[in-house]
Amino acid sequence: MSCNACVVQELRFEVKAEGEQNRRMLSSVVDHLERKGVLVEAEADWLVVKEGGMRDFLDFCRDHMDAAGVSFRMDKEEWSPIAAAADILDSQWIDEVISNGLVTCHAQPILTGDEEVFAYEMLARFYREDGSVIFPGEIFGAARKRGRLYALDRLCRMTAVRFASYIDKKAFINFIPTSIYSPEFCLKSTVQLANRLGMDPSQLVFEVVETDKVEDTDHLKRILAYYREKGFRYALDDVGAGFSTVELLSELQPHYMKLDMKYVQGVSKDPDQQKTAEAFLQQALKLGSVPLAEGIETLEDFEWLRDKGYELFQGYLFGKPAPIAEKDLKIPSEC
């Protein structure tokens, strides 16, 4: 079984028209789109059009129809005003990034209390064909608009696994659980790649991005159970005072728990942050999870957290995301 979300294909827009004027105009629209070869199907007040015909339709709609009575949707999602389709068309460049694999990885070190490198977090960095940088917020926003979130997440995940095979440390790899339809199918290629590269599954730590925004916890549990079954480790990212219930954390049983940086930065001087950090630490230890503090920028915060019992540390104090240094590459043994 394959998933359509894995493949970047031309989008199709389902359009409906309400109001006598719009329905009257729609027959002319259908004839025009059919002549151009971009019409998929049509009825009296409804049509499906390929992306290649949407620019023309938007122009026609704006000039000759009552746009307030025209709406669209993709993949059976909620209906939206037709004007919103322009944002989706303007984000078409994301298809090029995904299809051409225009992504690389930078690595940020994760240290022990003795300031030795324990692992690296593999962070995606994106580029256009001309070499210009695309910021993560921009690219994931575009992917959400066009329904490409799974395809982008998969590209980043597979790229990170390849880069992780070059280092002799654990690798933390981000993934967005809401982008995954079925772990058995959507994550199969990730497992196969790690196996093909001869990697020890325990070297890879899959990190749940936006832990606090996950609504379907049963789906998340299925994903994490799949990773655990395959021998991988997993971490919960950005956990803090607003983290999900203790019961949920107990059910998820994460191998690592990352304290949100907003509770880390300034913790050595802020009593409220200290209470959160201490409660988090006790919960992590109770669950058997390794507590990790991220976003550390000052020596004072690092020393306070280390003295309290935190085991792993990440932040600009120790290093910014950067290409993997030659000294950290895994050197193959000679035959």
Side-chain angles (χ1 to χ4, degrees), residues 329-335:
L329 293 177
K330 186 188 299 180
I331 308 298
S333 58
E334 294 183 2
C335 297

Side-chain angles (χ1 to χ4, degrees), residues 3 19 39 48 56 65 79 89 96 103 110 129-130 133 150 154 162 164 174 181 205 217 227 266 335:
C3 176
L39 182 71
V48 178
D56 275 357
M65 301 177 71
W79 293 96
L89 298 176
E96 176 185 289
V103 61
I110 297 173
E129 288 280 16
D130 63 6
V133 175
Y150 172 75
R154 179 182 182 275
R162 290 190 185 94
N174 296 323
Y181 296 72
V205 182
T217 54
Y227 275 136
C335 297

Side-chain angles (χ1 to χ4, degrees), residues 76-131:
K76 304 301 181 182
E77 295 181 352
E78 293 185 4
W79 293 96
S80 300
I82 192 63
D87 283 344
I88 297 173
L89 298 176
D90 290 342
S91 301
Q92 191 175 26
W93 54 266
I94 185 67
D95 294 4
E96 176 185 289
V97 172
I98 296 171
S99 297
N100 296 330
L102 302 178
V103 61
T104 187
C105 268
H106 283 193
Q108 185 176 30
I110 297 173
L111 274 62
T112 65
D114 295 327
E115 300 186 50
E116 295 180 353
V117 175
F118 172 80
Y120 290 96
E121 180 171 357
M122 314 304 290
L123 298 164
R125 293 294 181 265
F126 308 95
Y127 301 90
R128 294 184 177 88
E129 288 280 16
D130 63 6

Side-chain angles (χ1 to χ4, degrees), residues 144-179:
R144 284 187 171 91
K145 288 177 183 177
R146 289 183 64 80
R148 306 298 198 203
L149 194 58
Y150 172 75
L152 180 62
D153 187 64
R154 179 182 182 275
L155 171 64
C156 294
R157 196 167 62 245
M158 300 286 277
T159 302
V161 171
R162 290 190 185 94
F163 272 76
S165 70
Y166 298 132
I167 62 174
D168 197 20
K169 303 289 182 183
K170 288 185 181 295
F172 281 60
I173 298 174
N174 296 323
F175 78 98
I176 303 173
T178 52
S179 75

Side-chain angles (χ1 to χ4, degrees), residues 285-306:
L285 296 176
K286 181 179 178 181
L287 294 173
S289 301
V290 177
L292 189 161
E294 62 179 341
I296 297 175
E297 296 185 351
T298 68
L299 183 62
E300 292 79 11
D301 290 341
F302 165 59
E303 290 177 340
W304 189 92
L305 290 159
R306 181 185 59 187

Side-chain angles (χ1 to χ4, degrees), residues 37-94:
V38 293
L39 182 71
V40 179
E41 56 182 310
E43 293 183 3
D45 59 353
W46 168 90
L47 58 87
V48 178
V49 59
K50 297 177 183 178
E51 183 172 7
M54 277 300 289
R55 287 287 184 189
D56 275 357
F57 176 72
L58 285 178
D59 290 341
F60 183 87
C61 184
R62 182 174 54 249
D63 293 339
H64 304 291
M65 301 177 71
D66 177 12
V70 183
S71 53
F72 81 99
R73 68 179 181 180
M74 298 187 304
D75 298 325
K76 304 301 181 182
E77 295 181 352
E78 293 185 4
W79 293 96
S80 300
I82 192 63
D87 283 344
I88 297 173
L89 298 176
D90 290 342
S91 301
Q92 191 175 26
W93 54 266
I94 185 67

